[in-house]
Amino acid sequence: MGKKLPTFKLLDATGKTISLTSFAGKYVLLDFWGTWCVPCIPSIPELRAIHKKYGNRLAIISIALERPTDREKWLKAISKYEMSWTQTAEFTSAKEGINRLYNVIEYPTLLLADPDGILLAKIKYGERLDNKIGQLLAK
């Protein structure tokens, strides 16, 4: 907590390169998930509500970890669950890339950064997102 998050570059679902700095000036919620992650799927409606409520102040970046052959499955999940915020994925091992960079070892993992990219909170599975995010954005 309190440290600047490392930057990354990934392609989003439309093929555009994004990075943490693409969202400078906004709070950023990094959502590490996967289509295979049983507890990730039920949390999507809450993410949708957060996006609707705080969209002008909070950028959500969902980062999926998928097998190299599961790109279509990932794109279908984005559509099926109406995930209208920024979507990106790494089609690698959990021990590589952004998962290693951010030391993500469990799913879902949610990291909230301030507009300067400073880590404010790691939100654990089961915590109410709106309560936690609302408290931090109210400051």
Side-chain angles (χ1 to χ4, degrees), residues 48-64:
R48 232 183 358 259
I50 293 292
H51 178 61
K52 184 176 180 180
K53 184 173 183 177
Y54 299 108
N56 59 337
R57 296 182 55 210
L58 175 73
I60 300 174
I61 305 170
S62 287
I63 305 166

Side-chain angles (χ1 to χ4, degrees), residues 10-16 33 35-36 64-79 87-92:
L10 293 170
L11 294 177
D12 71 8
T14 67
K16 177 182 167 191
W33 77 294
T35 58
W36 47 267
L65 175 66
E66 302 292 336
R67 290 186 299 223
T69 57
D70 284 345
R71 181 171 174 74
E72 280 304 311
K73 181 179 178 184
W74 168 65
L75 291 171
K76 285 179 183 177
I78 292 167
S79 177
Q87 300 293 322
T88 187
E90 279 202 317
F91 300 94
T92 65

Side-chain angles (χ1 to χ4, degrees), residues 20-52:
L20 191 58
T21 57
S22 303
F23 302 92
K26 282 191 169 194
Y27 286 87
V28 175
L29 181 65
L30 298 177
D31 164 40
F32 291 86
W33 77 294
T35 58
W36 47 267
C37 170
V38 174
C40 295
I41 303 305
S43 69
I44 293 171
E46 189 174 15
L47 283 170
R48 232 183 358 259
I50 293 292
H51 178 61
K52 184 176 180 180

